[in-house]
Structures are given as structure tokens and as C-alpha cells.
Amino acid sequence: MALALLALALGAFAIGTTEFVIMGLLPQVAGGLDISIASAGHLVSAYALGVVIGAPLLTALGTRLRRRNALLAFLGVFVLGNLATALAPGYGAVFAARLLAGLPHGAVLGVSTLVAAHLVGPARQATAVARVLLGLTVANIVGVPAGTYLGQVFGWRAAFLVVAVLGAVAVAGVAAFVPHVPVAAGGGLGRELRALGRRQVWLGLVTAVFGFAGVFAVYSYISPMMTELAGLPAAAVPVVLALFGVGMTAGSLVVGPLGDRALRPTIYGALAALAVVLVVFAWAVHTPWAAVLLTVLLGAVGFGVTAPLQVLIMQKAGDAPTMAAASNHSAFNLANAGGAWLGGVGISAGFGYASPAIIGAVLTVVGLGLALLAGRLDRGDGAGPEVVAVGGRARADELCADRD
């Protein structure tokens, strides 16, 4: 089981690396393709667009596949997209390749978390999901800095070639160590769509959009915040970003066991803590040591929301959780884009580089309100204990997702 979880986490590591490494290589990409930095930045949007489109699309295509087979197919598309990025001759081809690479992002992570939950049983689902998503956080500590270095020394294409190799190793690991996990009997696209339309699933997805948008309202502008407000040198920014990744990793390690004990209270606590950190961040970012400390805390509490929400949405989808689990990653990418845009609106309006933190706090409070509303509605429905349905069976004494 440990090797299976490691293979799934390696796939998440490759995904996290390719998603963020291009941000550190924009000058090299722009120079290599003879385009502006702004045009190179559109390649970030191309990947995010692929994620939003691909999560429901690929999941729909793979609903009748056994989950290991679906995972192998999705990872194969991921490898192909990154290999195409490394070999693409011009800007248009690179844009298309980045879109292709983003398509399986949500499907891979969604199916990986379902498989992880199946492997450990109902008592440790949040911990297993957090271990898989740990690959995303470690990518920000190791993968992104290493990929940036490789891209600067050997050319930006080398970074995506290495990501393709990592994806291929993940494919081999999944094939070797992950057992077959069948879909629920009678499952299919219709059942997945009905599960996706459940009230509690949608509330969970919208909670992810608003709650997580608060993180990226700040993270998108962390570089000018550190240099213009905290007074740190530009050379310190990569260190701050690595510390943000350390915070993400710590949050993922802590939140898994907490989510296994009390899932909804863990979500409430993480969102409330995130709102507090964002408010304090806006006030304390002018002090260097406080700015760095709060960046670490932002990573910890912000990404502490991800695994519990993922588990909750899978539970509420009942015996057809695949599309819901993948769609949650589309929700997080919408949060990335929306948080960055709204943070930029505050800066453009003349409110300064600290304003995204206040905007992020407001977004997070909205997410917390939605989470509390969902919990109240859940209690009103008389919902009992729930776990993810795996292998065609609901592994709990009572499965109440259909009560939504």
C-alpha cells in the first residue's frame, strides 16, 4: 500500500511541478519563443483552462473504466502534453501543448484520491488523500525550484522534458503497485452527473472556489509584497516561495489526521484560520520577519483546506464520486484565477499591494459561510456517517449522500 500511495503522490508531484515551474521561467520562455513576457504569461492561463475543461471531460470519458486503467490513461495524456511542450516549435504549438498537459490534471488528482481512499478504508481516508496531495506541496519545495534551475541552465524546454520523465515514472509505478479498483456496479456517466448535481456536492465545490481564492489573491502577488512592502531583496523571494511550500507541506501533514477525526470542524477551522492569517498579513507585511512567518502560515492553513474538502465532496457524491472528485480540482483552479484577478483589481484601483490580503480575507469568509450553511443543511437532513463508496460498495454502516 505504501508503494501505491508513493506512486500516486509522484504523479501529483509531477503535476504540481509543471503547473508552477513555468512562472519562474517566463523570461526564458519569452526569449526562446521571441514573444513578450505578457504573451508568455498566457501559457499559464492555457494550462489552467485545460484543467477546468479536462476535469469533467476526461472523467466523463473514463467513467466505465477501472480506476487504475483510467489513471494510466490520464497520466499518459499528461506525459504526452509535457513532451509536446518540450518539443513544440512555436508559440501556438506550445500554447496547445500546455492546454493538452492541463486537461488530465483534475482527472489524475481526482481518481488518485479515490484510489487512495479505497486502499486505506474508511477510518483513514483524509490522511490518505492528504498523503497523495502532499506530492503537490513537495513540488513547490523541490520540483519547482529544481525545474527552474534546469530551465535556466539548459533551456526552458529541459524543465518540461524532465516533468514528462517524472510522469512516465509515475505511470510505471501505478502499473506496478496500484491494484485494480472497480467502479460501482451500474455506474456510468448518468450516475456521475446525478451525483455531481447534488446540493451538498455543489456547496462543497463553491466553498472550494471562494475559500481557496483567498490564498491566491495573495500568493499571486507575493513577490512585489515581499520587495515593495516587506523591504526584502529580490534574491530572497525564491526562499520565501520555498518556505510557502514548507507551510503547505506541514498543513497537509497535520490536516489529514484531523480530518479523519472530525471532517467538517476541520474545514471550518482551516477556513477561519485562513481568514485571520489574511487579515493579519495585510497589517504585518511591512515587517520583514512577520511577512515571512505569515507566508509560511498562509501556505499551512490555505492548503489545509484542500484534503478535507476533497474527502467531503467525494463522500457527498456517494457511490459515483469520480466526476465530483475531479471537478473539485477545477474549482480550485477557478479559485486560483479568480483570486489572482480580484487581487489585481485591488492593486489597480490604487489600494496598494496589501489590499489583496483583505480581498482574500473577504473571499475566505464567504467560503466559511458556505461551509457552515452546508453543515447546517446536512444536520437538517439528518445525515449520518458517510465515507467514499469504493469498489461498488458503500463502506460504512449508513450512506446518506442521497438525502441531499
Side-chain angles (χ1 to χ4, degrees), residues 25-332:
L25 293 173
L26 286 184
Q28 287 76 22
V29 173
L33 296 176
D34 195 24
I35 57 176
S36 67
I37 291 288
S39 295
H42 294 161
L43 297 175
V44 178
S45 301
Y47 185 89
L49 180 62
V51 176
V52 174
I53 294 172
L57 177 62
L58 291 187
T59 304
L61 294 174
T63 49
R64 291 195 174 276
L65 294 177
R66 288 190 173 189
R67 286 178 179 149
R68 190 184 76 162
N69 294 343
L71 192 56
L72 290 171
F74 298 153
L75 282 169
V77 175
F78 174 80
V79 172
L80 180 62
N82 281 279
L83 187 60
T85 301
L87 300 177
Y91 176 72
V94 174
F95 189 97
R98 286 294 290 169
L99 180 67
L100 177 64
L103 288 175
H105 177 119
V108 169
L109 295 177
V111 176
S112 292
T113 52
L114 287 170
V115 171
H118 170 85
L119 291 176
V120 301
R124 299 183 65 244
Q125 288 177 351
T127 297
V129 169
R131 292 294 183 270
V132 171
L133 297 182
L134 191 64
L136 290 175
T137 68
V138 173
N140 282 271
I141 302 173
V142 179
V144 173
T148 301
Y149 175 77
L150 284 173
Q152 291 172 343
V153 174
F154 298 104
W156 65 270
R157 297 177 186 275
F160 296 100
L161 183 61
V162 170
V163 169
V165 172
L166 288 172
V169 174
V171 169
V174 169
F177 302 117
V178 174
H180 282 291
V181 180
V183 297
L189 181 57
R191 176 175 287 189
E192 292 286 343
L193 289 173
R194 287 192 296 272
L196 187 61
R198 289 172 181 165
R199 181 179 64 190
Q200 288 287 353
V201 172
W202 274 103
L203 281 171
L205 293 173
V206 178
T207 298
V209 171
F210 279 94
F212 201 66
V215 176
F216 270 81
V218 170
Y219 185 68
S220 300
Y221 305 98
I222 198 71
S223 180
M225 286 180 175
M226 292 299 110
T227 56
E228 299 295 328
L229 301 182
L232 295 174
V237 172
V239 177
V240 173
L241 295 178
L243 290 174
F244 179 81
V246 171
M248 292 166 55
T249 303
S252 297
L253 290 172
V254 171
V255 79
L258 289 177
D260 286 327
R261 292 187 178 187
L263 188 59
R264 282 201 185 274
T266 299
I267 294 171
Y268 302 153
L271 288 170
L274 176 57
V276 171
V277 167
L278 287 167
V279 171
V280 176
F281 191 101
W283 170 72
V285 69
H286 301 277
T287 304
W289 68 266
V292 174
L293 175 61
L294 285 164
T295 299
V296 176
L297 291 176
L298 179 66
V301 298
F303 281 78
V305 176
T306 57
L309 269 176
Q310 180 80 3
V311 172
L312 179 68
I313 287 169
M314 292 191 303
Q315 289 179 355
K316 293 303 176 182
D319 57 358
T322 309
M323 186 170 287
S327 296
N328 194 38
H329 295 284
S330 291
F332 281 123

